Amino acid sequence: MDTAGTDTAGTDTAGMDTAGMDPELKAYADAARGFMPVDEGAALYEAAMGVTTPGPFLEVGSYCGKSSIYLGAAARSRDTVLFALDHHRGSEENQAGWEYHEPDLVDPAVNKMDTLPIFRRTVHDAGLEGVVIALVGQSIPVAENWGMPLAFLFIDGGHGAEPAHADYEHWMPHVAVGSRVAIHDVFPNPADGGRPPFEIYTRAMESGAFREIGHTGSLRVLERTGPGI
Ligand code: SAH
Ligand code: MG
């Protein structure tokens, strides 16, 4: 479950700070439409800035492009690109009748959600069109055809059990040893939100292939330390 709420409990930012993000771009990202609290966006930026491996960044779940700005800013500074993957039809909880539905995001011609126009506008206005590359499609077929090791992976797509575990299984192998993964909406306490992101975080930790390097609100940042996902 995505949430716009800010959970600062248990914050351990491991020396992260946001001094490096262009203040104008940061203000723009902080104000952009989406589901990313300001402190978690800052942590996301710092986590991506700290990568030490080569390769592109990729996020699963861009929505209107809010997280794409934090990550795109880091990608630009690190001289790489961000692939921003989303089918732009919304997750289960974004559909009509669900908690996180925003009716103005429905394309009346097809009566489906369509966040792509807003995403495009967000990236354009941030000046990041040369860095943020939209991949419009379903996460799993893209993952199955993906060939390049990632320096940074951000998982914030479907939050149901099936899509969250499918993202874990299909995307984690593309994270190179030494590279980083951030998982959003990790709520250890079921009262705070849906559990599948917490389950895949737990899965990563129990695999022995990752160590945790940062924790801000519901954002967990991991580094891949070895094989055996
Ligand atoms: N990171 C965003 C919020 C993402 S919301 C922000 O900062 O605001 C989750 C997004 O995941 C939705 O836009 C939805 O369309 C996308 N999504 C869900 N399941 C998906 C799938 N299987 N393939 C591609 N995108 C998916
Ligand atoms: Mg989220």
Side-chain angles (χ1 to χ4, degrees):
M1 183 73 60
D2 250 311
T3 175
T6 302
D7 167 22
T8 47
T11 294
D12 171 14
T13 50
M16 294 174 180
D17 72 79
T18 52
M21 188 166 174
D22 174 72
E24 211 178 311
L25 195 52
K26 178 170 166 26
Y28 182 70
D30 289 350
R33 185 168 184 172
F35 303 108
M36 180 60 58
V38 166
D39 59 336
E40 297 176 22
L44 189 61
Y45 169 82
E46 281 301 317
M49 283 296 285
V51 297
T52 55
T53 47
F57 301 170
L58 186 140
E59 73 174 353
V60 185
S62 306
Y63 198 62
C64 296
K66 190 177 179 77
S67 52
S68 318
I69 307 174
Y70 296 111
L71 289 174
R76 182 167 63 188
S77 293
R78 297 304 313 259
D79 212 12
T80 186
V81 294
L82 169 70
F83 289 101
L85 168 58
D86 201 306
H87 52 43
H88 288 284
R89 297 299 188 195
S91 300
E92 203 176 53
E93 65 271 20
N94 304 127
Q95 305 305 319
W98 289 70
E99 193 177 356
Y100 294 97
H101 181 58
E102 301 185 280
D104 64 307
L105 296 176
V106 173
D107 174 357
V110 297
N111 200 25
K112 288 179 180 165
M113 295 267 304
D114 186 3
T115 49
L116 182 57
I118 307 214
F119 167 88
R120 266 205 114 185
R121 183 65 187 273
T122 304
V123 172
H124 172 269
D125 290 357
L128 289 170
E129 283 194 332
V131 177
V132 177
I133 301 165
L135 291 175
V136 182
Q138 302 273 351
S139 173
I140 302 311
V142 177
E144 284 172 343
N145 288 283
W146 195 260
M148 180 173 287
L150 299 170
F152 193 89
L153 171 67
F154 177 47
I155 300 183
D156 194 22
H159 288 12
E162 197 277 327
H165 284 275
D167 279 339
Y168 179 92
E169 283 154 23
H170 289 84
W171 281 111
M172 289 302 232
H174 295 300
V175 177
V177 172
S179 293
R180 294 180 172 187
V181 184
I183 305 175
H184 199 224
D185 304 301
V186 173
F187 297 112
N189 180 353
D192 294 334
R195 294 277 281 184
F198 175 73
E199 288 167 16
I200 63 171
Y201 156 76
T202 304
R203 214 172 146 179
M205 296 308 291
E206 288 177 353
S207 73
F210 295 91
R211 72 184 177 99
E212 185 166 327
I213 59 171
H215 170 198
T216 301
S218 76
L219 187 81
R220 302 283 178 142
V221 183
L222 313 180
E223 181 184 283
R224 186 164 177 190
T225 53
I229 290 166

